[in-house]
Amino acid sequence: QVQLVESGGGLVQPGGSLRLSCAASGFTLDYYGIGWFRQVPGKEREGVSCISSSDGSTIYADSVKGRFTISRDNAKNTVYLQMNSLKPEDTAVYYCAADYDYYCSENAADYDYWGRGTQVTVSS
């Protein structure tokens, strides 16, 4: 069964850090571009970051550049999103997704598989 499972979300104070994990089962991530997206109620899903399968190249949304880092460990079939200097506006449900392509996409419609999400809340 193909599955993506996010973990690592939670409640953190502004300025704090969290590391999200996206673990795949039922398929290997080696050939997939992986994206992280986030969504708050009433708003469209927003692309946060993605990493390609071909050369590990990455893309970041302007709102998270310099604060978030995406990485992948193909041996563990897992992708990570390190989030530092968190702000209240980062509060959202974070989803990971897999796109069967050499390169990653910022377009949610390009992705084949999705996880169920993990809640990140940044609040004092």
Side-chain angles (χ1 to χ4, degrees):
Q1 181 181 3
V2 171
Q3 198 172 12
L4 289 171
V5 178
E6 303 93 339
S7 61
L11 173 64
V12 64
Q13 292 186 342
S17 298
L18 286 173
R19 188 177 80 155
L20 305 184
S21 299
C22 172
S25 60
F27 70 109
T28 178
L29 290 179
D30 292 31
Y31 306 108
Y32 287 79
I34 304 298
W36 283 98
F37 294 81
R38 65 187 181 187
Q39 191 169 23
V40 297
K43 293 190 176 181
E44 290 189 0
R45 194 164 292 190
E46 173 192 18
V48 175
S49 181
C50 65
I51 185 166
S52 72
S53 63
S54 58
D55 59 2
S57 58
T58 58
I59 299 175
Y60 295 94
D62 288 343
S63 59
V64 307
K65 279 181 183 175
R67 300 188 298 121
F68 290 11
T69 303
I70 190 171
S71 61
R72 62 192 302 154
D73 185 339
N74 287 347
K76 294 184 178 180
N77 222 25
T78 300
V79 172
Y80 304 97
L81 185 68
Q82 178 67 44
M83 307 187 296
N84 299 328
S85 302
L86 283 161
K87 304 175 181 180
E89 51 263 45
D90 294 318
T91 296
V93 177
Y94 283 71
Y95 300 88
C96 67
D99 173 22
Y100 188 65
D101 201 340
Y102 288 119
Y103 302 103
C104 68
S105 170
E106 298 169 88
N107 185 356
D110 291 334
Y111 286 81
D112 304 300
Y113 304 119
W114 288 84
R116 299 183 70 174
T118 185
Q119 175 70 47
V120 171
T121 302
V122 184
S123 174
S124 56

